[in-house]
Amino acid sequence: DAGVIQSPRHEVTEMGQEVTLRCKPISGHNSLFWYRQTMMRGLELLIYFNNNVPIDDSGMPEDRFSAKMPNASFSTLKIQPSEPRDSAVYFCASSLKGPGTQYFGPGTRLLVL
Amino acid sequence: DQQVKQNSPSLSVQEGRISILNCDYTNSMFDYFLWYKKYPAEGPTFLISISSIKDKNEDGRFTVFLNKSAKHLSLHIVPSQPGDSAVYFCAASEDPGTYKYIFGTGTRLKVLA
């Protein structure tokens, strides 16, 4: 059974450009999470969706970040405009239900020059 | 301010010996703790958990110890194997029924053959 799928795996872009990260959760999971990993802060929860509805976006750093989940099998995290300090690994995770074990995708390594 | 701290960024251990990974937390409301393991180019995977009503939880070669008064937990791996080489994250939440975990910055374990 396929796990959480993320694309692209690597992204290099220039400051000011729009970046879109994509995630396909495990089929049947109704909760989806976006995390950002940095050396200084570890894994930080950015946003949590339950049944495609954003429940908690308190971790989204600023208005440049937005996330959508148009259906149960797809989510995007968009950064516009991107800045060098956004460089990090972005993980998507899903779980059967909110409090359940979270299954992480392989991550997208983003470098903003 | 980091509420969950893993003060050792890296650790090297000889195969067959014990690996001890440490994690400290500052929030006395944290009630439930997890360890995740992460291999390069993969997402974190759940390893073991412990509730604050226990001070020890064991799963095969992995044991997590919790010292609530010291706000400290540790993961013991005995015996360590080269396949255990990975980054280990501890995470904490105020409620096992929540989706929201605070992660540490991780400790990179290298088990030497």
Side-chain angles (χ1 to χ4, degrees):
Chain A
D1 188 21
V4 176
I5 298 171
Q6 291 187 247
S7 65
R9 296 293 306 275
H10 302 272
E11 177 83 29
V12 181
T13 191
E14 291 190 343
M15 184 173 66
Q17 296 298 305
E18 177 179 297
V19 174
T20 299
L21 311 181
R22 296 172 176 80
C23 174
K24 178 178 166 52
I26 293 172
S27 177
H29 284 191
N30 69 1
S31 294
L32 184 138
F33 310 81
W34 282 100
Y35 287 87
R36 178 172 66 176
Q37 183 198 358
T38 61
M39 292 290 288
M40 292 300 295
R41 301 177 67 86
L43 275 160
E44 299 175 280
L45 177 65
L46 300 177
I47 188 167
Y48 159 54
F49 289 88
N50 186 253
N51 291 324
N52 313 337
V53 176
I55 302 298
D56 181 356
D57 65 356
S58 59
M60 295 287 263
E62 46 197 275
D63 292 346
R64 297 184 298 106
F65 285 69
S66 62
K68 293 182 180 178
M69 192 164 185
N71 57 62
S73 58
F74 184 65
S75 177
T76 59
L77 178 68
K78 189 174 292 188
I79 309 172
Q80 165 64 17
S82 57
E83 296 183 2
R85 60 191 167 123
D86 302 330
S87 298
V89 182
Y90 291 82
F91 289 101
C92 175
S94 70
S95 68
L96 204 53
K97 55 181 180 178
T101 300
Q102 296 180 19
Y103 296 84
F104 284 77
T108 295
R109 185 174 293 275
L110 173 65
L111 179 60
V112 183
L113 302 172
Chain B
D1 185 32
Q2 283 286 112
Q3 295 187 68
V4 177
K5 299 177 187 177
Q6 294 178 259
N7 292 318
S8 298
S10 64
L11 174 69
S12 290
V13 171
Q14 208 66 33
E15 182 179 6
R17 300 290 194 115
I18 183 171
S19 294
I20 300 176
L21 296 98
N22 293 305
C23 181
D24 296 293
Y25 60 95
T26 56
N27 187 345
S28 57
M29 298 297 291
F30 285 149
D31 198 46
Y32 189 67
F33 305 88
L34 308 171
W35 285 93
Y36 273 80
K37 179 165 79 170
K38 183 188 175 307
Y39 291 120
E42 295 183 13
T45 54
F46 170 75
L47 186 60
I48 193 169
S49 64
I50 189 166
S51 165
S52 64
I53 60 172
K54 300 172 83 172
D55 54 18
K56 176 183 171 182
N57 190 26
E58 205 168 340
D59 184 2
R61 295 184 298 112
F62 301 89
T63 303
V64 57
F65 294 92
L66 176 63
N67 182 334
K68 291 184 287 294
S69 59
K71 296 193 186 69
H72 176 84
L73 66 156
S74 60
L75 175 68
H76 293 212
I77 307 173
V78 184
S80 301
Q81 299 173 355
D84 297 328
S85 298
V87 177
Y88 290 79
F89 292 95
C90 69
S93 74
E94 295 186 13
D95 180 351
T98 185
Y99 60 87
K100 200 157 192 171
Y101 292 94
I102 307 299
F103 283 81
T105 51
T107 296
R108 183 179 301 277
L109 173 67
K110 189 169 185 179
V111 180
L112 307 167

